[in-house]
Amino acid sequence: PAYVKGHRRTPSDIEFRDAMRKDAQSAMSKELNKLLMTAPPGLQDRVRKEFEGFETLFARFLRETGPSVEWDKLKLLAPESIRKYGDLPTPDTKDIKNLLDKLVVIKLNGGLGTSMGCTGPKSAIQVRNELTFLDLNVQQIEHLNKIYGVDVPFVLMNSFNTDDDTQKILRKYSQIQVSIFTFNQSRYPRINRDTLMPVPRSFAEDSIEGWFPPGHGDVYNSFFNSGLLDKFISEGKKYVFISNIDNMGATVDLGILNFLLQSPESSSPEFVMEVTDKTRADVKGGTLVEYEGKLRLLEYAQVPADHTEKQTMQSEMIVSVLTLDNGMNVIQLETAVGAAIKSFDRAVGINVPRSRFLPVKTTSDLLIVMSNLYAMKTGSLEMSPKRSFPSVPLVKLGNQFSKVKDFLKRFASIPDILELDHLTVAGDVNFGKSVSLRGTVIIIANHGEKIDIPMGAILENKIVSGNLRILDH
């Protein structure tokens, strides 16, 4: 074979990658400075802070080529790492006001309703009795304030996608007894996958596709940068409760708050994560493990291929690759709010009932929270006592139901699902009024066929398919 002169003196792979990393980081820094110059004058200080966070994340992305966890170092949790919700003492009524005076509630409100076919913030989607996610969350805090004579701050973390619309919506709460604050999460540039350079060339509106809000893990930096953190600390606040605005089970829990504030100062938890037992519906989602002596959130995407059916080990960052409308492949760098647990020495998990985890990500979830399975009380959803077992049914609605407006058209009224265990619906299916679904119900209309479930139908452990306009019941 031919000998290439000087071949053995070329840099090693490691040196080559290191040089490329430094070049990419330097080039990114220059491009970000150019972008900063296009930001409106009043926003430049804020944008500079956001870009500092982005550069830190980008440096990690360039540096962390290997797995962020080594599987052999993972350990099952010691029993004392997870507290049982049922073992937490109930606070004395006389102490509740003092507990609530130490609390701030943050709801993550950066998401749009596009995945459910809606425009604007997801929090503006109607859930029950023409009330939206945002309405119900405000009502919960208003109830606490009235009952206990407190003023719990209600804080929204918006994104550049949701802020304008949310500010308009908030005007309708001016007579409500709730102190509402907002701050924006960061606005990060998407990265061109081929050049590793930022996609947007300026802050102009027409470049909006080049930007993204970098996940809920950004809440810590953005909350600090907003000045609200310092404000609340100066007012004597001790703990912040953070949850997604679409999780209808995530209400302020006095038992957990009491556990935090009544613990001795030297041993009081610095970080608490609520965990709940997984069900058949929970294919993904993280789990708490012990790693190098600390609690750590192991995300599904970090599990090696030989320990799960698919997915490979990935960085603790959430690295998303997607294609824009113009065909450009881009990278988004995000972080998760729960991953911060590894940064705290005194961290615990609390195994809470499934009722505290009721996210609405799809219209399948929306069917459940709109149904008679739950009763609404002062903005909170409580499972009906008529349900004979505490589990939530597994509901899978097909593509024809994925948009909220189509979902609402296909149900003349939301079915009775008090005794439902499993529902699968696919194809062109419509439900009449007062339908009752019990046990396992599977309804499949093949392509070109249609199924109309008539008013008052009772389906119990049924498989329905074909082309039916009238169904015996």
Side-chain angles (χ1 to χ4, degrees):
Y3 175 72
V4 180
K5 185 178 179 182
H7 180 73
R8 292 181 182 177
R9 291 196 297 271
T10 58
S12 69
D13 285 348
I14 295 173
E15 289 171 335
F16 181 69
R17 280 199 301 265
D18 193 46
M20 281 201 307
R21 178 179 66 79
K22 288 177 181 175
D23 285 345
Q25 202 162 344
S26 173
M28 174 63 79
S29 186
K30 288 176 183 174
E31 290 300 313
L32 291 177
N33 280 331
K34 290 180 190 175
L35 270 179
L36 181 61
M37 293 301 104
T38 70
L43 289 179
Q44 288 196 350
D45 283 347
R46 192 179 92 187
V47 172
R48 185 177 289 105
K49 289 178 182 175
E50 291 178 1
F51 279 3
E52 286 171 2
F54 173 77
E55 284 200 76
T56 300
L57 208 54
F58 184 65
R60 281 183 55 197
F61 167 71
L62 294 172
R63 185 174 64 247
E64 294 178 7
T65 54
S68 60
V69 290
E70 295 177 35
W71 191 259
D72 293 341
K73 290 185 178 180
L74 296 180
K75 294 181 181 177
L76 293 176
L77 290 177
E80 64 271 15
S81 297
I82 298 287
R83 305 295 177 96
K84 292 180 181 176
Y85 181 81
D87 293 345
L88 301 181
T90 304
D92 290 336
T93 306
K94 63 179 175 58
D95 294 330
I96 292 177
K97 182 182 185 308
N98 184 51
L99 295 175
L100 290 171
D101 281 339
K102 303 287 193 297
L103 179 68
V104 174
V105 173
I106 292 182
K107 295 290 179 175
L108 306 175
N109 185 46
L112 291 167
T114 46
S115 64
M116 294 165 73
C118 298
T119 58
K122 185 179 181 183
S123 58
I125 294 174
Q126 291 184 0
V127 186
R128 291 287 289 258
N129 304 344
E130 299 186 355
L131 296 175
T132 66
F133 288 110
L134 190 51
D135 292 336
L136 295 176
N137 277 275
V138 170
Q139 192 177 358
Q140 291 168 18
I141 302 299
E142 181 193 37
H143 176 67
L144 277 180
N145 289 345
K146 282 183 175 177
I147 293 295
Y148 299 108
V150 292
D151 185 13
V152 176
F154 179 70
V155 185
L156 295 170
M157 182 173 83
N158 300 332
S159 69
F160 64 87
N161 287 322
T162 63
D163 189 52
D164 285 348
D165 287 335
T166 299
Q167 298 299 344
K168 292 171 187 171
I169 294 168
L170 291 179
R171 295 171 193 161
K172 69 179 180 179
Y173 305 125
S174 60
Q175 302 303 311
I176 304 293
Q177 191 182 319
V178 179
S179 298
I180 302 177
F181 302 86
T182 66
F183 67 95
N184 271 21
Q185 69 183 111
S186 300
R187 170 172 152 149
Y188 282 1
R190 286 180 168 138
I191 303 165
N192 184 312
R193 190 180 181 187
D194 298 323
T195 64
L196 292 184
M197 290 290 98
V199 172
R201 313 310 284 172
S202 78
F203 265 69
E205 280 299 314
D206 59 1
S207 69
I208 202 75
E209 198 182 31
W211 304 87
F212 72 101
H216 42 59
D218 181 59
V219 65
Y220 305 107
N221 279 338
S222 293
F223 187 41
F224 173 77
N225 289 340
S226 73
L228 286 174
L229 176 61
D230 289 337
K231 167 186 164 59
F232 292 136
I233 289 174
S234 71
E235 293 172 0
K237 308 300 182 187
K238 294 287 187 185
Y239 282 95
V240 60
F241 172 47
I242 303 175
S243 64
N244 275 320
I245 200 158
D246 64 14
N247 182 358
M248 296 313 300
T251 58
V252 172
D253 189 281
L254 296 174
I256 295 175
L257 191 58
N258 180 60
F259 162 67
L260 296 175
L261 287 164
Q262 302 294 21
S263 300
E265 189 74 30
S266 59
S267 61
S268 60
E270 298 171 316
F271 191 106
V272 168
M273 181 181 293
E274 293 185 38
V275 295
T276 192
D277 296 337
K278 287 180 181 283
T279 69
R280 290 173 298 167
D282 302 311
V283 179
K284 295 188 178 182
T287 189
L288 281 182
V289 294
E290 184 182 320
Y291 190 80
E292 296 182 332
K294 290 188 177 183
L295 285 191
R296 187 149 179 174
L297 179 65
L298 181 70
E299 292 284 5
Y300 181 83
Q302 292 174 274
V303 179
D306 57 345
H307 289 274
T308 185
E309 292 177 12
K310 55 184 178 180
Q311 287 279 358
T312 55
M313 199 89 144
Q314 292 184 0
S315 163
E316 195 165 5
M317 281 181 295
I318 302 165
V319 180
S320 303
V321 179
L322 58 151
T323 304
L324 300 183
D325 292 342
N326 63 7
M328 182 188 293
N329 291 323
V330 300
I331 296 169
Q332 291 185 180
L333 304 179
E334 304 177 23
T335 54
V337 65
I341 195 168
K342 68 177 184 179
S343 304
F344 295 87
D345 293 322
R346 299 198 304 275
V348 298
I350 297 180
N351 189 359
V352 299
R354 181 73 188 189
S355 58
R356 287 192 58 74
F357 184 63
L358 194 60
V360 182
K361 303 297 183 188
T362 63
T363 51
S364 300
D365 302 325
L366 195 58
L367 175 69
I368 292 172
V369 299
M370 290 178 76
S371 74
N372 62 342
L373 193 65
Y374 289 95
M376 196 173 75
K377 184 179 177 184
T378 58
S380 300
L381 297 182
E382 298 176 358
M383 188 172 283
S384 169
K386 294 178 182 176
R387 174 83 166 172
S388 55
F389 39 96
S391 63
V392 176
L394 184 61
V395 174
K396 296 180 180 178
L397 300 179
N399 291 337
Q400 286 84 351
F401 293 79
S402 62
K403 294 182 177 179
V404 172
K405 72 173 183 183
D406 296 334
F407 163 86
L408 293 173
K409 279 181 188 172
R410 291 184 176 275
F411 288 100
S413 68
I414 301 299
D416 165 13
I417 63 170
L418 276 175
E419 297 177 38
L420 179 68
D421 180 48
H422 179 124
L423 172 67
T424 294
V425 183
D428 187 359
V429 179
N430 295 287
F431 292 78
K433 287 186 176 181
S434 305
V435 172
S436 183
L437 305 172
R438 302 171 185 174
T440 297
V441 178
I442 300 172
I443 306 169
I444 298 175
N446 295 324
H447 183 68
E449 298 176 338
K450 182 179 182 181
I451 296 176
D452 289 330
I453 308 297
M455 181 173 71
I458 299 172
L459 304 184
E460 183 167 3
N461 295 322
K462 286 244 185 200
I463 297 177
V464 181
S465 63
N467 189 27
L468 302 177
R469 298 299 168 108
I470 298 174
L471 186 72
D472 293 331
H473 63 279

